[in-house]
Amino acid sequence: MTFFTIFTILHLLLTPSPPLLKLVRADDQLIQMECHNAEVPTTCMLCLKSDRGAAAADKVGIATILVNCLKNHANTLAANMSDLVSGTKDQVVKIVLHECGQGYSSAKKKLSSATSSLKSGKYDDAERFVNEALKYELTCHSKIGSYKERIPEDIVHEMKIYEELSEAAKRIVERL
Ligand SMILES: *[C@@H]1O[C@H](CO)[C@@H](O)[C@H](O)[C@H]1NC(C)=O
């Protein structure tokens, strides 16, 4: 070993690592508690961590962020379904995918209503809208069932995340 190598190794060993960023914010506790109650903590946390406002959010704010994530997923899924429709020749599958796409578009509208309800403090309405949005997803899920192998895996995964996020949003809204 050359002197230089030894010097480099010593230098690496002795240089203190930069102070860890302060990762735990005050309201992480609220987020963790809410997501834990929602029974799908990982998906719930991923959604909330993606929103800068989450750390400062109260329970209604957390519910609103989850509904926003749902809306984004409904949007993506609606786009994915219409892409799939144009790439599918089988007429029966085409119809199913088309209906799924329409379902996700309708779900998006329900979720916008859920956001408004949360804003005006009508939490029962918000819960109902999230449920109605979930019904569109579950209808699509069951119709798609037998054609699942023709649906790209990441879309199937996206659908699963949508269901988990709905579950989380429902649990959190029903506690408001
Ligand atoms: C689904 O849609 C999103 C948004 O348009 C896109 O980023 C993603 O690649 C699509 N996934 C597939 C499998 O088409």
Side-chain angles (χ1 to χ4, degrees):
M1 248 187 257
T2 62
F3 174 76
F4 181 73
T5 315
I6 292 167
F7 177 81
T8 309
I9 290 168
L10 275 177
H11 184 75
L12 282 173
L13 286 175
L14 297 176
T15 309
S17 48
L20 285 171
L21 294 169
K22 202 161 175 282
L23 288 174
V24 180
R25 281 170 292 194
D27 277 340
D28 267 11
Q29 227 177 339
L30 179 61
I31 291 176
Q32 293 204 357
M33 196 181 75
E34 291 291 305
C35 283
H36 181 74
N37 286 337
E39 286 174 23
V40 276
T42 313
T43 301
C44 177
M45 297 286 283
L46 272 177
C47 161
L48 291 172
K49 297 274 174 193
S50 72
D51 191 298
R52 286 158 165 269
D58 58 7
K59 289 185 184 188
V60 178
I62 287 178
T64 306
I65 292 169
L66 280 167
V67 171
N68 271 336
C69 287
L70 271 173
K71 231 183 287 176
N72 291 337
H73 281 265
N75 209 18
T76 302
L77 282 164
N80 290 156
M81 291 301 161
S82 70
D83 283 350
L84 282 179
V85 170
S86 25
T88 304
K89 290 211 172 67
D90 184 320
Q91 282 305 315
V92 180
V93 182
K94 236 180 163 66
I95 290 167
V96 169
L97 294 171
H98 179 70
E99 285 173 355
C100 276
Q102 287 187 324
Y104 287 118
S105 297
S106 306
K108 245 167 54 186
K109 289 182 197 137
K110 297 286 180 189
L111 293 164
S112 295
S113 305
T115 305
S116 315
S117 303
L118 284 172
K119 207 180 256 177
S120 52
K122 293 178 179 157
Y123 305 134
D124 287 347
D125 287 351
E127 195 187 339
R128 182 166 51 82
F129 286 129
V130 171
N131 260 320
E132 286 174 3
L134 176 58
K135 264 185 216 144
Y136 287 113
E137 146 62 34
L138 294 176
T139 304
C140 173
H141 190 149
S142 75
K143 278 188 189 159
I144 251 178
S146 32
Y147 313 111
K148 221 171 185 172
E149 66 281 358
R150 300 202 213 171
I151 313 289
E153 213 166 294
D154 54 344
I155 296 184
V156 174
H157 180 72
E158 184 88 3
M159 290 172 70
K160 181 166 166 271
I161 299 292
Y162 182 97
E163 287 167 25
E164 292 188 357
L165 281 172
S166 295
E167 202 52 48
K170 271 169 52 181
R171 298 280 166 135
I172 289 167
V173 173
E174 76 190 6
R175 282 184 172 84
L176 292 175

